Amino acid sequence: MTDQELNPAAAAAPRAPRRRRVGRLSGRDKAVVAVLLGLPIVLDLAFIWGPALATVGLSFTKWNGVGGLSTKICQPNVPSILNNGCLYGVQNYHQAATIYPEFWPAVRHNLIWLAVFVFFATPLGMFFAVLIDRGIKGSRMYQSILFLPVMLSLALVGIIWEFMYSQNYGLINTVIGHNHNGNAIDWLGNPKLNLWSVLIEASWRQAGYVMVLYLAGLKAVDPQLREAALMDGTNAWQTFWKVVFPVMRPINIVVMVVTVIESLRAFDLVYITNKGINGLELLSVLVTSNIVGETQRVGFGSALGVILLVISLVPICAFLYLTFRRETQPKGAR
Amino acid sequence: MTSPRIPQNFQRPLARRGLLKGMGAAAAFATVPGALAACSSSKSSGSSSGNAGSATSPVTFGSNYSDASPKAAFAALCAAATAAGGPKVTINTVDHNTFQNNITSYLQGTPDDLFTWFAGYRMQYFAAQGLALPLDDVWAKIGGNFSASVKTLSTGLDGHQYFVPIYNYPWVVFYNKSHFAAKGYTVPTTWDDFITLCKKMKSDGIIPLAFADKDGWPALGTFDILNMRINGYDYHQKLMKHQVPWTDAGVTAVFDKWAELMPYLQTGANGRIWQDAAKALEQKQAGMMFQGTNQVAAQYVTDNANLDDLDFFPYPAINPTYGQDYMDAPTDGFMISKKAKNPAGAKAILEYIGTAAAESTFLKTDQWDVGVATGLQAPSYDAIQKSSVTAISNCKAVAQFMDRDADPAMATAMISIIQKFIDDPSTGNITSLQNSAEQQAKAIYTS
């Protein structure tokens, strides 16, 4: 921890000596520290860590949301209504991995989603950004058009694409003449097609998002670097890969994080499309479909939520590791 | 106005609040009937105010009738109840998806006195959790207005009534009269006639049966009717309660018959919403469609299609033992929450709603549902509603629909299983789907 992090009140007390200890803070400083640090910590514990730990706890129980929890062990072969709120051990995890038919498809779809975002949507967004940054004619118009989907909520994106994909009345099938009942292409219902159809919707939006991030990054690249590269006789391709791209390293990390987060929290589009069933299963949807509703399988849904949490922790830990390492490096150099 | 049957909203009910509140254990449901025995059926029918609250002080009504026309019909119903001497009613309307998804936390929090709900297992489940008030004294007064089967639908697992019904609607095969007349088709009553008709339609370039299952639930109706036609009502109810395993030969027979029908069903059902399937019927691209009047007839009204041309017939008989004795006819109605502030006033409202006059008031603006009171003469009934009354009264028993007769978690599991069947109705796939259904049923019902 650096002094500045430990002591946000330093800014409030101008000209404070750098090495001043906490014990020498005035009462007012302490109050400010307590409020500025304490309040976020309390809120964080109450609304992030509390529910997360409660979810972990609930994942070892069987509970339908009515009444309280007990410390009894669930009895085998008893109607579930009499087995409410009991301790269920790791049965929920076991069931998810063995007999729940949606589980493994959901894990696979989450990975496909991540791969498409990393290898398709992000490079596409980067490509758009580079094209627009080169100042082609009407670049502002292209920029607006490509960014437009980002302004819409994903739920709305889903509804817009329903009009494109609808079998009998959709734009795509009508244009290609496949809207008759004999030959209609079932874009959103065929489990072999619908994940890819929805990924096109998602990429349509994600590419615009990535484009804006890269545009900001490209604008920040010192033009002198390019001029120098040009003087050295590089072509446009070499300039980008050897000079511009490495300079954008901070932006690259931001884009990577955004991509991973967006693909793990994918939910809205598949939910709008078909409630996340029949080829569109995702872990986030399975959590929801078990916990939300009239008769809830809170324990089972919580177990799925914990699995999603563990998966999310992998990229989060990687990101934190990279970030903290970068922050400590300059300090070491000082 | 669709009736979304399956949890389908991502607004998260604050389920864990129930944990914090430390409410009574689930086992409490066992004590409910005893605690309320004082106001059960033995009570004289003198006055409606024998409980807490008063029959004249205002009551609140939590409503999921959030679409415009049922909302108006419901408001008229409540106004009529007040005019008939009941207390003033404040209606709190909530979007139906949100309402259904939040029902557990709603009933454990500060619910309205009355709430709109559905008959069958869905009602029994909440009654058994101790979240609903027994209505035996109300039924002592209104019981004469309903048949024994309707009373059974309103009865919880403990033998007390918890529900006052208002309307239901049959699941039947729709067709356009003019279309059948022009092509010379006749209404089939047996499976062989049905398949012959389907073949003829197909050779005429018509889709025999419009079909859609993008929302997941519509195809559950086809499973229900095939099961009731092949194995009968009792078997169906046992299967829904998992007293018969899903790997049973009876279930295999249902899927086999369905596979036989698959070539005549509109293809790509998993990507089509039922409204689009109904349009195929309207435009006579399809010859028939199996669904509820609450959907198809309502869609004809919405689309300004020719409702007078629409007609239906009960699903053809398969097993002669059961003939056309059964069908799905989901019933909607009302319940009183256990935590009602004014149960006496709420009961006064339900005593009015449980009359034929009240149902007529509601049905003035509704052209697809039918009232359930016996001898109801609704001057506003159209041909579809009149045929619905006949069709339902010809049944020996009516089922409620898979997600109302079964645990909703099981119905959700069956949605994906049936969609996988629609994708691949081969024999090998049927076997693996039945095994999957049975494994999940074990996890949901008994473990």
Coordinates of all heavy atoms in Angstrom, one line a residue, chain A residues 136-198:
Chain A
I136 N -11.3 8.2 -43.7 CA -12.0 8.0 -44.9 C -13.2 9.0 -45.0 O -13.7 9.5 -44.0 CB -12.4 6.6 -45.1 CG1 -13.2 6.1 -43.9 CG2 -11.3 5.7 -45.3 CD1 -13.9 4.8 -44.0
K137 N -13.6 9.1 -46.3 CA -14.7 10.1 -46.5 C -16.0 9.6 -45.7 O -16.3 8.5 -45.7 CB -15.0 10.1 -48.0 CG -15.6 11.5 -48.4 CD -15.7 11.5 -50.0 CE -16.4 12.7 -50.4 NZ -16.8 12.7 -51.8
G138 N -16.6 10.6 -45.1 CA -17.8 10.3 -44.3 C -17.6 9.5 -43.1 O -18.4 8.7 -42.6
S139 N -16.4 9.6 -42.5 CA -16.0 8.7 -41.4 C -16.9 9.0 -40.2 O -17.2 8.1 -39.4 CB -14.6 8.9 -41.0 OG -14.4 10.2 -40.5
R140 N -17.3 10.2 -40.0 CA -18.2 10.5 -38.9 C -19.5 9.8 -39.0 O -20.1 9.4 -38.0 CB -18.5 12.1 -38.8 CG -17.4 12.8 -38.0 CD -17.6 14.3 -38.0 NE -16.4 14.9 -37.6 CZ -16.0 15.0 -36.3 NH1 -16.7 14.4 -35.4 NH2 -14.8 15.6 -36.0
M141 N -20.0 9.7 -40.2 CA -21.3 9.1 -40.4 C -21.1 7.6 -40.1 O -22.0 7.0 -39.4 CB -21.7 9.2 -41.9 CG -23.1 8.8 -42.1 SD -23.6 8.9 -43.9 CE -22.6 7.6 -44.6
Y142 N -20.1 7.0 -40.6 CA -19.8 5.5 -40.3 C -19.7 5.3 -38.8 O -20.2 4.4 -38.3 CB -18.6 5.0 -41.0 CG -18.7 5.0 -42.5 CD1 -17.8 5.6 -43.4 CD2 -19.7 4.2 -43.1 CE1 -18.0 5.5 -44.7 CE2 -19.9 4.1 -44.4 CZ -19.0 4.8 -45.3 OH -19.1 4.7 -46.6
Q143 N -19.0 6.3 -38.2 CA -18.8 6.1 -36.8 C -20.1 6.1 -36.0 O -20.3 5.3 -35.1 CB -17.9 7.3 -36.3 CG -17.4 7.2 -34.9 CD -16.5 8.4 -34.5 OE1 -15.9 9.0 -35.4 NE2 -16.4 8.7 -33.3
S144 N -21.0 7.0 -36.4 CA -22.3 7.1 -35.8 C -23.1 5.8 -36.0 O -23.7 5.3 -35.1 CB -23.1 8.3 -36.3 OG -22.4 9.4 -36.3
I145 N -23.1 5.3 -37.3 CA -23.8 4.2 -37.6 C -23.3 3.0 -36.8 O -24.1 2.2 -36.2 CB -23.8 3.8 -39.1 CG1 -24.5 4.9 -39.9 CG2 -24.3 2.5 -39.4 CD1 -24.4 4.8 -41.4
L146 N -22.0 2.8 -36.7 CA -21.5 1.6 -36.0 C -21.6 1.7 -34.5 O -21.7 0.7 -33.8 CB -20.0 1.5 -36.4 CG -19.7 1.1 -37.8 CD1 -18.2 1.2 -38.1 CD2 -20.2 -0.3 -38.1
F147 N -21.7 3.0 -34.0 CA -21.9 3.1 -32.6 C -23.3 3.0 -32.1 O -23.6 2.8 -31.0 CB -21.3 4.5 -32.1 CG -21.2 4.6 -30.6 CD1 -20.4 3.7 -29.9 CD2 -21.9 5.5 -30.0 CE1 -20.3 3.8 -28.5 CE2 -21.9 5.6 -28.6 CZ -21.1 4.8 -27.9
L148 N -24.2 3.2 -33.1 CA -25.6 3.3 -32.7 C -26.1 2.1 -31.9 O -26.8 2.2 -30.9 CB -26.5 3.4 -34.0 CG -28.0 3.8 -33.8 CD1 -28.1 5.2 -33.3 CD2 -28.7 3.6 -35.1
P149 N -25.7 0.8 -32.3 CA -26.2 -0.3 -31.5 C -25.8 -0.3 -30.1 O -26.5 -0.8 -29.2 CB -25.6 -1.5 -32.2 CG -25.1 -1.1 -33.5 CD -24.9 0.4 -33.4
V150 N -24.7 0.4 -29.8 CA -24.2 0.4 -28.4 C -25.1 1.2 -27.5 O -25.3 1.0 -26.3 CB -22.8 1.0 -28.4 CG1 -22.2 0.9 -27.0 CG2 -21.9 0.3 -29.4
M151 N -25.8 2.2 -28.2 CA -26.7 3.1 -27.4 C -28.0 2.4 -27.0 O -28.7 2.8 -26.2 CB -27.1 4.3 -28.3 CG -25.9 4.9 -29.0 SD -25.4 6.5 -28.5 CE -26.7 7.4 -29.1
L152 N -28.3 1.3 -27.8 CA -29.5 0.6 -27.5 C -29.3 -0.5 -26.4 O -28.2 -1.1 -26.3 CB -30.0 -0.1 -28.7 CG -30.2 0.8 -30.0 CD1 -30.5 -0.1 -31.2 CD2 -31.3 1.8 -29.8
S153 N -30.3 -0.7 -25.6 CA -30.2 -1.8 -24.6 C -30.2 -3.1 -25.4 O -30.8 -3.3 -26.4 CB -31.4 -1.7 -23.6 OG -32.4 -2.5 -24.1
L154 N -29.6 -4.1 -24.8 CA -29.5 -5.4 -25.4 C -30.9 -6.0 -25.6 O -31.1 -6.7 -26.6 CB -28.6 -6.4 -24.6 CG -27.1 -6.2 -24.8 CD1 -26.4 -7.0 -23.8 CD2 -26.8 -6.7 -26.2
A155 N -31.8 -5.7 -24.7 CA -33.1 -6.2 -24.9 C -33.7 -5.7 -26.2 O -34.4 -6.5 -27.0 CB -34.0 -5.8 -23.7
L156 N -33.5 -4.4 -26.5 CA -34.0 -3.8 -27.7 C -33.3 -4.4 -28.9 O -33.9 -4.7 -30.0 CB -33.8 -2.3 -27.6 CG -34.7 -1.5 -28.5 CD1 -36.1 -1.8 -28.3 CD2 -34.4 0.0 -28.2
V157 N -32.0 -4.6 -28.8 CA -31.2 -5.3 -29.9 C -31.8 -6.6 -30.2 O -32.0 -6.9 -31.4 CB -29.7 -5.4 -29.5 CG1 -29.0 -6.3 -30.5 CG2 -29.1 -4.1 -29.3
G158 N -32.2 -7.4 -29.2 CA -32.8 -8.7 -29.4 C -34.1 -8.5 -30.2 O -34.4 -9.3 -31.1
I159 N -34.9 -7.5 -29.9 CA -36.2 -7.4 -30.5 C -36.0 -6.9 -32.0 O -36.7 -7.4 -32.9 CB -37.1 -6.4 -29.7 CG1 -37.5 -7.0 -28.4 CG2 -38.3 -6.0 -30.5 CD1 -38.1 -6.1 -27.4
I160 N -35.0 -6.0 -32.2 CA -34.8 -5.6 -33.6 C -34.4 -6.8 -34.4 O -34.9 -6.9 -35.5 CB -33.6 -4.5 -33.6 CG1 -34.1 -3.2 -32.9 CG2 -33.1 -4.3 -35.0 CD1 -33.1 -2.2 -32.7
W161 N -33.5 -7.6 -33.9 CA -33.1 -8.8 -34.7 C -34.1 -9.8 -34.9 O -34.1 -10.6 -35.8 CB -31.8 -9.4 -34.1 CG -30.6 -8.6 -34.5 CD1 -30.1 -7.5 -33.9 CD2 -29.8 -8.7 -35.7 NE1 -29.0 -7.0 -34.6 CE2 -28.8 -7.7 -35.7 CE3 -29.7 -9.7 -36.7 CZ2 -27.8 -7.6 -36.7 CZ3 -28.8 -9.6 -37.7 CH2 -27.8 -8.5 -37.7
E162 N -35.1 -9.9 -34.0 CA -36.2 -10.8 -34.2 C -36.9 -10.5 -35.5 O -37.3 -11.4 -36.3 CB -37.3 -10.7 -33.1 CG -36.7 -11.1 -31.8 CD -37.4 -12.2 -31.1 OE1 -38.7 -12.3 -31.2 OE2 -36.7 -13.1 -30.5
F163 N -37.0 -9.2 -35.8 CA -37.6 -8.8 -37.1 C -36.8 -9.2 -38.3 O -37.3 -9.5 -39.4 CB -37.8 -7.3 -37.2 CG -38.9 -6.7 -36.2 CD1 -38.5 -5.9 -35.2 CD2 -40.2 -7.1 -36.3 CE1 -39.5 -5.4 -34.3 CE2 -41.1 -6.7 -35.4 CZ -40.8 -5.8 -34.4
M164 N -35.5 -9.3 -38.1 CA -34.6 -9.8 -39.2 C -34.7 -11.3 -39.3 O -34.7 -11.8 -40.5 CB -33.1 -9.4 -38.8 CG -32.9 -8.0 -38.4 SD -32.9 -6.9 -39.8 CE -31.3 -7.2 -40.5
Y165 N -34.8 -12.0 -38.2 CA -34.6 -13.4 -38.3 C -35.9 -14.2 -38.4 O -35.9 -15.4 -38.7 CB -33.9 -13.9 -37.0 CG -32.4 -13.7 -37.0 CD1 -31.8 -13.1 -35.9 CD2 -31.6 -14.1 -38.1 CE1 -30.4 -13.0 -35.9 CE2 -30.2 -14.0 -38.1 CZ -29.6 -13.4 -37.0 OH -28.3 -13.2 -36.9
S166 N -37.1 -13.6 -38.1 CA -38.3 -14.3 -38.1 C -38.5 -15.1 -39.3 O -38.2 -14.7 -40.4 CB -39.5 -13.3 -37.9 OG -40.7 -13.9 -38.3
Q167 N -39.0 -16.4 -39.1 CA -39.0 -17.3 -40.3 C -39.9 -16.9 -41.4 O -39.5 -16.9 -42.6 CB -39.6 -18.6 -39.8 CG -38.7 -19.6 -39.1 CD -39.4 -20.8 -38.8 OE1 -39.5 -21.7 -39.6 NE2 -40.0 -20.9 -37.6
N168 N -41.1 -16.6 -41.1 CA -42.1 -16.3 -42.2 C -42.2 -14.8 -42.5 O -42.6 -14.5 -43.6 CB -43.5 -16.9 -41.8 CG -43.4 -18.3 -41.4 OD1 -43.7 -18.7 -40.3 ND2 -43.0 -19.1 -42.4
Y169 N -41.9 -14.0 -41.6 CA -42.1 -12.5 -41.8 C -40.8 -11.7 -41.7 O -40.8 -10.5 -41.8 CB -43.1 -12.0 -40.8 CG -44.4 -12.8 -40.8 CD1 -44.6 -13.9 -39.9 CD2 -45.4 -12.5 -41.8 CE1 -45.8 -14.6 -40.0 CE2 -46.5 -13.3 -41.8 CZ -46.7 -14.3 -40.9 OH -47.9 -15.0 -41.0
G170 N -39.6 -12.4 -41.4 CA -38.4 -11.7 -41.2 C -37.8 -11.2 -42.5 O -38.0 -11.7 -43.6
L171 N -36.9 -10.2 -42.3 CA -36.3 -9.5 -43.5 C -35.4 -10.5 -44.2 O -35.4 -10.6 -45.4 CB -35.5 -8.3 -43.0 CG -34.8 -7.6 -44.1 CD1 -35.8 -6.7 -44.9 CD2 -33.7 -6.7 -43.6
I172 N -34.5 -11.2 -43.5 CA -33.5 -12.1 -44.1 C -34.2 -13.2 -45.0 O -33.9 -13.3 -46.2 CB -32.6 -12.7 -43.0 CG1 -31.8 -11.6 -42.3 CG2 -31.7 -13.7 -43.7 CD1 -31.0 -12.1 -41.2
N173 N -35.1 -13.9 -44.4 CA -35.7 -15.0 -45.1 C -36.5 -14.4 -46.3 O -36.6 -15.1 -47.4 CB -36.6 -15.8 -44.2 CG -35.8 -16.8 -43.5 OD1 -34.6 -16.9 -43.6 ND2 -36.5 -17.6 -42.6
T174 N -37.1 -13.3 -46.1 CA -37.9 -12.7 -47.2 C -37.0 -12.3 -48.4 O -37.3 -12.6 -49.6 CB -38.7 -11.4 -46.7 OG1 -39.4 -11.8 -45.6 CG2 -39.7 -10.9 -47.8
V175 N -35.9 -11.7 -48.1 CA -35.0 -11.2 -49.1 C -34.4 -12.4 -49.9 O -34.3 -12.4 -51.1 CB -33.8 -10.4 -48.5 CG1 -32.7 -10.2 -49.5 CG2 -34.4 -9.0 -48.1
I176 N -34.0 -13.5 -49.1 CA -33.4 -14.6 -49.8 C -34.4 -15.6 -50.3 O -34.1 -16.7 -50.8 CB -32.3 -15.3 -48.9 CG1 -32.9 -15.9 -47.7 CG2 -31.2 -14.4 -48.6 CD1 -31.9 -16.7 -46.8
G177 N -35.7 -15.3 -50.1 CA -36.8 -16.2 -50.6 C -36.9 -17.5 -49.9 O -37.4 -18.5 -50.5
H178 N -36.6 -17.5 -48.6 CA -36.7 -18.7 -47.9 C -37.8 -18.5 -46.8 O -37.6 -19.0 -45.7 CB -35.4 -19.1 -47.2 CG -34.5 -19.9 -48.2 ND1 -34.5 -21.3 -48.2 CD2 -33.6 -19.5 -49.1 CE1 -33.6 -21.7 -49.2 NE2 -33.1 -20.6 -49.7
N179 N -38.9 -17.8 -47.1 CA -39.9 -17.6 -46.1 C -41.1 -18.4 -46.2 O -42.1 -18.2 -45.6 CB -40.2 -16.1 -46.1 CG -40.8 -15.7 -47.4 OD1 -40.6 -16.3 -48.4 ND2 -41.6 -14.6 -47.4
H180 N -41.1 -19.4 -47.1 CA -42.2 -20.3 -47.2 C -42.1 -21.5 -46.3 O -40.9 -21.8 -45.9 CB -42.3 -20.8 -48.7 CG -42.3 -19.7 -49.7 ND1 -43.3 -18.8 -49.7 CD2 -41.4 -19.4 -50.6 CE1 -43.0 -17.9 -50.6 NE2 -41.8 -18.2 -51.2
N181 N -43.2 -22.1 -45.9 CA -43.1 -23.1 -44.9 C -42.3 -24.3 -45.2 O -41.7 -24.9 -44.4 CB -44.5 -23.5 -44.4 CG -45.1 -22.4 -43.6 OD1 -44.7 -22.2 -42.5 ND2 -46.1 -21.8 -44.1
G182 N -42.2 -24.6 -46.5 CA -41.3 -25.7 -46.9 C -39.9 -25.4 -46.8 O -39.1 -26.3 -46.4
N183 N -39.4 -24.2 -47.1 CA -38.0 -24.0 -47.1 C -37.5 -22.9 -46.1 O -36.3 -22.5 -46.2 CB -37.6 -23.5 -48.5 CG -38.2 -22.2 -48.9 OD1 -38.9 -21.6 -48.1 ND2 -38.0 -21.7 -50.1
A184 N -38.3 -22.5 -45.2 CA -37.9 -21.4 -44.3 C -36.7 -21.9 -43.5 O -36.6 -23.0 -43.0 CB -39.1 -21.1 -43.4
I185 N -35.8 -20.9 -43.2 CA -34.7 -21.2 -42.4 C -35.0 -20.7 -41.0 O -35.4 -19.6 -40.8 CB -33.4 -20.5 -42.9 CG1 -33.1 -20.9 -44.3 CG2 -32.2 -20.8 -42.0 CD1 -32.0 -20.2 -45.0
D186 N -34.9 -21.6 -40.0 CA -35.4 -21.3 -38.7 C -34.2 -20.8 -37.9 O -33.5 -21.5 -37.1 CB -35.9 -22.6 -38.1 CG -36.6 -22.4 -36.7 OD1 -36.7 -21.2 -36.3 OD2 -37.0 -23.4 -36.1
W187 N -33.8 -19.5 -38.1 CA -32.6 -19.0 -37.5 C -32.6 -19.0 -36.0 O -31.5 -19.3 -35.5 CB -32.5 -17.5 -38.0 CG -32.3 -17.3 -39.4 CD1 -33.3 -16.9 -40.3 CD2 -31.1 -17.5 -40.2 NE1 -32.7 -16.8 -41.6 CE2 -31.4 -17.2 -41.5 CE3 -29.9 -18.0 -39.9 CZ2 -30.5 -17.4 -42.6 CZ3 -28.9 -18.1 -40.9 CH2 -29.2 -17.8 -42.2
L188 N -33.7 -18.7 -35.4 CA -33.7 -18.6 -33.9 C -34.2 -19.9 -33.2 O -34.1 -20.0 -32.0 CB -34.5 -17.4 -33.5 CG -33.9 -16.1 -33.9 CD1 -34.8 -14.9 -33.5 CD2 -32.5 -15.9 -33.3
G189 N -34.8 -20.8 -34.0 CA -35.3 -22.0 -33.4 C -34.4 -23.3 -33.6 O -34.5 -24.2 -32.7
N190 N -33.7 -23.3 -34.6 CA -32.8 -24.5 -34.9 C -31.6 -24.4 -34.0 O -30.8 -23.5 -34.0 CB -32.4 -24.4 -36.3 CG -31.6 -25.7 -36.7 OD1 -31.0 -26.3 -35.9 ND2 -31.6 -26.0 -38.0
P191 N -31.5 -25.4 -33.1 CA -30.4 -25.3 -32.1 C -29.0 -25.4 -32.7 O -28.0 -25.0 -32.1 CB -30.6 -26.5 -31.2 CG -31.5 -27.4 -32.0 CD -32.3 -26.6 -32.9
K192 N -28.9 -25.7 -34.0 CA -27.6 -25.7 -34.6 C -27.3 -24.3 -35.2 O -26.1 -24.0 -35.4 CB -27.6 -26.7 -35.8 CG -27.7 -28.1 -35.4 CD -27.4 -29.1 -36.5 CE -27.6 -30.5 -36.1 NZ -29.0 -30.9 -35.9
L193 N -28.3 -23.5 -35.4 CA -28.1 -22.2 -36.0 C -28.2 -21.0 -34.9 O -27.6 -20.0 -35.1 CB -29.2 -21.9 -37.0 CG -29.0 -22.6 -38.4 CD1 -30.2 -22.2 -39.3 CD2 -27.7 -22.1 -39.1
N194 N -29.1 -21.3 -33.9 CA -29.5 -20.1 -33.2 C -28.4 -19.4 -32.4 O -28.4 -18.2 -32.2 CB -30.8 -20.3 -32.4 CG -30.7 -21.4 -31.4 OD1 -29.6 -22.0 -31.2 ND2 -31.8 -21.8 -30.8
L195 N -27.5 -20.2 -31.9 CA -26.4 -19.6 -31.1 C -25.6 -18.6 -32.0 O -25.3 -17.5 -31.6 CB -25.5 -20.7 -30.5 CG -24.4 -20.1 -29.6 CD1 -24.9 -19.5 -28.4 CD2 -23.4 -21.2 -29.3
W196 N -25.4 -19.1 -33.2 CA -24.6 -18.2 -34.1 C -25.4 -17.0 -34.5 O -24.8 -15.9 -34.7 CB -24.1 -19.1 -35.3 CG -23.4 -20.3 -34.9 CD1 -23.9 -21.6 -34.9 CD2 -22.1 -20.3 -34.3 NE1 -22.9 -22.4 -34.3 CE2 -21.8 -21.7 -33.9 CE3 -21.1 -19.4 -34.0 CZ2 -20.6 -22.1 -33.3 CZ3 -19.9 -19.8 -33.4 CH2 -19.7 -21.1 -33.1
S197 N -26.7 -17.2 -34.7 CA -27.5 -16.0 -35.1 C -27.5 -15.0 -34.0 O -27.3 -13.8 -34.2 CB -29.0 -16.5 -35.3 OG -29.1 -17.5 -36.2
V198 N -27.6 -15.5 -32.7 CA -27.6 -14.5 -31.6 C -26.2 -13.9 -31.4 O -26.0 -12.8 -31.1 CB -28.0 -15.3 -30.3 CG1 -27.8 -14.4 -29.1 CG2 -29.5 -15.6 -30.4

